[in-house]
Amino acid sequence: MGDRVRAEVELKELAGQIRYHEAAYRAGAPEITDGAFDDLVERYRELADSLGIDASERIDAEPGQDHTAGFETVEHRVPMLSLEKLSPNRRDSAGEPMPLADQLSAWFRRRRKELEVEVLPTIVEPKVDGISVSLLYAGGVLRRAVTRGDGHKGDVITQQVARLGTVPTKLPKAGKGEIEIRGELYWPLSEFARFNATLDKPLINPRNGCAGMMKRKDPVGLEETGIRSFFYQVAWDGEATLPPTQSETLQWLADRGADVYLSEVFQTVSEEAALQYCEDYQARRGTLNYDIDGMVIKLDDLGMYARLGATGHHPHWGIAYKFPPERKPTKLLGIEVSVGKSGKLTPVAILDPVFVSGTTVSRASLHNFVELERKDVRVGDTVLVEKAGEIIPQVVEVDKSKRKRGAKRFVPPNVCPTCGTDAVSEEIFVYCPNPTCPAQVRERLRHFASRRAMDIDGMGEVLVDQVVDKLGVRSPDDLFRLDVEELAELDRMGEKSAERVKAGLEAAKARGLGRVLNGLAIRHVGETMAEDLAAYFRTADGLLEFAARYVAEDEEAVETVAPAKSSERGAVEGLARKSADSIFHELHSPAVRKVFTGLADVAVSLSVRASDVREVAEVSGKTFVLTGALPTLSRTEATKRVKAAGGKVSGSVSKKTDYVVAGDDPGSKHEKAQALGVTIIDEAALLALLGDAD
Ligand code: AMP
Ligand code: ZN
């Protein structure tokens, strides 16, 4: 392979990994640390740059999309960009690893050249790991709080932020005009631990927890979370007379009641000293009451900022120093095989308990048997454990110098450790194929009740285990048939808790089709896919009817989700042929159909939630086919809009098609529409139907 080809292959591979881990993260089950994810993105960007890949051809992994349905979005007057990073993985043109100090001097050299100055006063600040927020004040009064969103548009969270009571509601002596300040909302570790102890389903980590809290529709009670803020920037101002430097701006903000980490910042004119401060801070990391994922090294003179400008990705006035995740050695006491909700058998490391990034770790996923083989992990080994991003602990590598003689390789099981059924291999994974396997039943119910799925208040993992073991619950619908008396008999329950659980079950009935689909633990159906399927099919009946047609290889059904022409996208976002086959076959299986019938019997809503659709009479119930490139809407966006208005989008033209929306280069569908006499419209006409024309 030539170098370019090899790089292109790697780029594609990276894109796939980034997509995969984004989905896992969104589903609340990240498999790699935030740090490792950033590294993937970083490597992707470097490679794409070196190959000269056009922006429109790249995946946009950053900043993460955080839009939540039901929140108003607004455009940022000044985009909320990312930061450039010093990266431990960077290599020079000869392929040699580049020390951070060299990367930083190169960065400073470029600034000196561009600004034509010798001395660059610099300020180093901690990079607190929370969620960014932008606050707009008018006449000194807080008017609006907005999340970073995709960097250009964010969600309005004014009520939530106001309720926290941690940001100033008034900004005195800040002029009569508008001013926008930026900072971070974060959850101090002690407050997070205190709050988490009151929940029966603990939050994964302070950062995700904070993000979730700020997207609570009802702000009542947010003041009790202990979430705090700190500010580091005035993004723009109307007429306040602002100080000329970053350090004085921090003081200016502090004088006006905004929380600022004045005691934690460091000013210098030496890049060596700046780097040293970062390293010293890193050493103190474990003793802080907040998570930081690095430091930010910024120029102090704000006058230079405008002269330096920015790329679409990051400004040129600063660069982040990222901390490598904390790693600790410990002993591997054993390897256990756990059975997941879809039967996947996963090796789990049983560790001599070790304190890493804030908590004691005694178990860590080893992901799969191929990975285990690759790392050559053996019982009795000394292994290095890492848990950056405070998410999932993992075994990074084995210290082979400490391996005892005679340590044996681990042999993957050929039967399920719980039910003894013969295991089957699929790609790199091994599965227990028995859907009634007790371990799978328990895991599926735990998942069904979990926050990201049906969010059944009071139904934690311990209770799920009990209702399975003692009350014979097997299927999700069984949960809704439990009565208060039998629940009250269980360990650590009693009348009151039982009533709360029952109320939780009642409330969960209205979560809607998307949550139900996510809850059923169907392979390849995570949170996003579940919502997309629900939005497209709208009811379980519609979905199941479609699955039946798909399984029977009905041409229209297959073409709708998996167009024969590989250049065309299917109607359901992200649904590729292979996963579609698996998903629709599973949905059509007697077992899954039975669960749907059971859920309908106990009055669980199996339709998309009304709040997620806004019917438009001209579009509702009509079938659209999109073809060719539309002038302003992407295929995905157009599909979304039609569905949100109650219409359907199909992949192929038939007599049942109401409209073909044709853009440039429409192709064969356009011809077929003409032949069948189907109405052909352009994008403007579609927008008019949607009630969206100017
Ligand atoms: P990243 O998303 O990793 O590219 O980093 C950019 C983000 O870092 C910003 O959106 C801020 O939310 C966050 N951040 C935390 N602390 C600081 C700081 N002291 N200065 C600038 N950005 C910060
Ligand atoms: Zn089994």
Side-chain angles (χ1 to χ4, degrees):
M1 264 196 281
D3 276 354
R4 181 165 180 104
V5 177
R6 193 166 320 147
E8 278 169 355
V9 170
E10 186 186 347
L11 192 73
K12 235 172 135 181
E13 162 82 3
L14 281 166
Q17 287 184 23
I18 291 168
R19 282 274 170 270
Y20 175 83
H21 289 298
E22 268 179 342
Y25 183 85
R26 274 201 305 268
E31 291 175 13
I32 59 172
T33 61
D34 288 1
F37 181 78
D38 288 349
D39 289 345
L40 286 177
V41 174
E42 186 82 1
R43 174 83 191 125
Y44 177 87
R45 184 172 322 111
E46 276 170 21
L47 206 57
D49 284 347
S50 74
L51 290 169
I53 307 282
D54 191 69
S56 64
E57 300 286 304
R58 298 185 188 194
I59 57 165
D60 47 352
E62 228 185 328
Q65 302 268 348
D66 76 354
H67 174 62
T68 307
F71 279 79
E72 183 198 346
T73 61
V74 294
E75 187 121 6
H76 297 301
R77 189 180 293 201
V78 180
M80 296 180 81
L81 299 177
S82 243
L83 286 166
E84 189 182 353
K85 308 203 172 61
L86 297 172
S87 157
N89 305 327
R90 183 150 314 147
R91 289 169 186 275
D92 62 19
S93 47
E96 292 300 314
M98 229 178 139
L100 295 185
D102 294 356
Q103 295 179 35
L104 191 62
S105 351
W107 189 85
F108 271 100
R109 237 187 343 266
R110 282 199 300 276
R111 307 307 121 174
R112 286 204 184 86
K113 206 167 144 209
E114 222 167 316
L115 295 163
E116 298 175 335
V117 293
E118 274 312 306
V119 181
L120 285 176
T122 299
I123 177 166
V124 189
E125 303 172 9
K127 186 165 183 287
V128 174
D129 198 10
I131 63 161
S132 358
V133 67
S134 191
L135 303 181
L136 175 76
Y137 292 83
V141 180
L142 177 64
R143 286 290 154 78
R144 201 171 72 191
V146 185
T147 66
R148 178 165 162 193
D150 65 3
H152 299 280
K153 267 190 277 169
D155 286 359
V156 176
I157 52 167
T158 317
Q159 285 188 337
Q160 288 75 0
V161 168
R163 186 86 192 195
L164 285 179
T166 160
V167 315
T169 49
K170 292 217 169 74
L171 211 58
K173 292 183 284 155
K176 292 203 178 56
E178 294 191 333
I179 179 165
E180 189 177 322
I181 70 172
R182 289 184 181 170
E184 201 84 357
L185 297 169
Y186 70 98
W187 212 331
L189 303 184
S190 55
E191 294 292 322
F192 176 74
R194 175 189 59 75
F195 190 84
N196 230 1
T198 68
L199 304 176
D200 56 14
K201 282 174 223 155
L203 301 162
I204 312 183
N205 68 26
R207 182 177 189 277
N208 295 18
C210 176
M213 283 296 158
M214 297 323 293
K215 288 297 180 69
R216 268 203 353 208
K217 301 249 157 77
D218 180 3
V220 173
L222 284 176
E223 68 277 16
E224 271 145 36
T225 56
I227 290 174
R228 310 271 322 169
S229 60
F230 98 104
F231 291 88
Y232 52 75
Q233 195 183 6
V234 176
W236 54 266
D237 73 291
E239 52 202 70
T241 331
L242 289 171
T245 63
Q246 168 70 2
S247 43
E248 289 161 292
T249 301
L250 295 180
Q251 186 61 55
W252 187 93
L253 285 167
D255 292 343
R256 280 155 188 79
D259 279 325
V260 171
Y261 278 151
L262 278 177
S263 62
E264 306 300 305
V265 306
F266 174 70
Q267 288 178 254
T268 177
V269 288
S270 142
E271 53 206 65
E272 289 80 22
L275 195 58
Q276 186 62 50
Y277 186 71
C278 294
E279 282 163 8
D280 293 347
Y281 213 92
Q282 182 180 328
R284 288 207 286 134
R285 187 183 186 191
T287 66
L288 305 170
N289 193 23
Y290 41 86
D291 281 331
I292 53 178
D293 57 353
M295 307 292 286
V296 190
I297 301 169
K298 305 176 179 178
L299 299 184
D300 197 29
D301 182 348
L302 299 176
M304 293 177 176
Y305 285 28
R307 286 161 62 199
L308 286 169
T311 69
H313 173 262
H314 57 251
H316 282 150
W317 45 253
I319 187 159
Y321 171 96
K322 268 180 49 180
F323 292 153
E326 191 183 5
R327 270 182 195 186
K328 288 273 185 72
T330 190
K331 194 147 189 164
L332 182 79
L333 304 176
I335 294 176
E336 222 176 74
V337 176
S338 81
V339 186
K341 58 189 190 302
S342 51
K344 193 189 280 178
L345 304 185
T346 307
V348 180
I350 309 302
L351 304 164
D352 197 7
V354 56
F355 195 75
V356 189
S357 305
T359 61
T360 302
V361 172
S362 54
R363 296 165 69 87
S365 169
L366 290 165
H367 303 299
N368 58 63
F369 297 102
V370 174
E371 180 79 0
L372 185 150
E373 170 91 38
R374 192 176 64 74
K375 286 188 182 144
D376 187 16
V377 182
R378 304 185 190 186
V379 175
D381 277 350
T382 297
V383 295
L384 294 175
V385 179
E386 169 181 310
K387 189 176 148 255
E390 285 69 42
I391 310 179
I392 294 179
Q394 44 189 346
V395 171
V396 203
E397 60 178 318
V398 175
D399 182 348
K400 295 215 172 112
S401 68
K402 300 223 170 80
R403 176 167 287 166
K404 294 264 161 40
R405 286 248 302 279
K408 288 200 188 61
R409 279 185 182 274
F410 185 78
V411 185
N414 36 32
V415 298
C416 168
T418 304
C419 69
T421 308
D422 282 347
V424 294
S425 296
E426 195 186 305
E427 292 175 346
I428 60 170
F429 299 109
V430 180
Y431 290 90
C432 160
N434 168 18
T436 61
C437 170
Q440 287 188 48
V441 167
R442 197 186 58 219
E443 290 302 320
R444 278 201 298 270
L445 289 167
R446 282 178 168 190
H447 172 72
F448 186 78
S450 70
R451 182 179 298 123
R452 309 298 286 254
M454 293 295 271
D455 195 11
I456 303 173
D457 192 26
M459 185 65 75
E461 299 197 343
V462 180
L463 183 58
V464 170
D465 293 355
Q466 284 203 68
V467 300
V468 171
D469 294 343
K470 302 195 179 133
L471 301 178
V473 168
R474 288 291 171 271
S475 157
D477 47 303
D478 294 344
L479 289 173
F480 298 93
R481 297 199 181 84
L482 293 168
D483 57 40
V484 174
E485 289 79 65
E486 44 185 355
L487 283 167
E489 293 295 305
L490 297 170
D491 294 346
R492 289 187 286 160
M493 280 299 283
E495 191 81 18
K496 247 184 133 171
S497 318
E499 268 162 15
R500 183 173 143 225
V501 171
K502 192 69 194 166
L505 282 160
E506 284 308 311
K509 287 182 178 174
R511 300 267 186 261
L513 182 59
R515 297 291 200 106
V516 172
L517 280 172
N518 180 18
L520 294 184
I522 291 165
R523 227 181 272 176
H524 304 296
V525 181
E527 200 176 350
T528 313
M529 179 58 70
E531 290 303 335
D532 287 345
L533 287 169
Y536 186 78
F537 292 102
R538 305 170 56 80
T539 63
D541 286 345
L543 173 64
L544 293 177
E545 183 258 343
F546 182 89
R549 284 199 287 129
Y550 186 95
V551 170
E553 290 175 19
D554 172 280
E555 203 180 312
E556 201 251 350
V558 174
E559 181 75 6
T560 298
V561 291
K565 247 179 50 200
S566 59
S567 59
E568 302 247 317
R569 297 246 237 125
V572 182
E573 196 172 346
L575 186 56
R577 182 64 188 254
K578 214 167 136 215
S579 39
D581 282 352
S582 159
I583 292 170
F584 292 121
H585 274 92
E586 192 165 342
L587 281 168
H588 187 60
S589 69
V592 172
R593 299 179 73 88
K594 198 168 143 228
V595 173
F596 274 110
T597 314
L599 288 172
D601 287 347
V602 293
V604 169
S605 159
L606 297 175
S607 313
V608 65
R609 268 161 56 129
S611 59
D612 298 339
V613 280
R614 183 186 50 86
E615 303 244 349
V616 175
E618 284 75 13
V619 174
S620 181
K622 300 270 187 331
T623 301
F624 291 73
V625 172
L626 307 170
T627 177
L630 302 179
T632 68
L633 295 175
S634 70
R635 185 69 63 96
T636 316
E637 183 64 26
T639 304
K640 248 192 208 145
R641 300 272 289 269
V642 169
K643 287 190 306 194
K648 280 194 250 172
V649 177
S650 170
S652 72
V653 181
S654 73
K655 272 191 272 180
K656 282 184 281 173
T657 310
D658 294 290
Y659 296 101
V660 167
V661 186
D664 288 344
D665 286 333
S668 66
K669 290 181 191 167
H670 187 259
E671 284 160 31
K672 191 159 177 203
Q674 280 178 325
L676 291 173
V678 174
T679 312
I680 301 172
I681 60 173
D682 61 6
E683 183 192 88
L686 172 66
L687 289 173
L689 286 178
L690 288 166
D692 227 44
D694 298 319

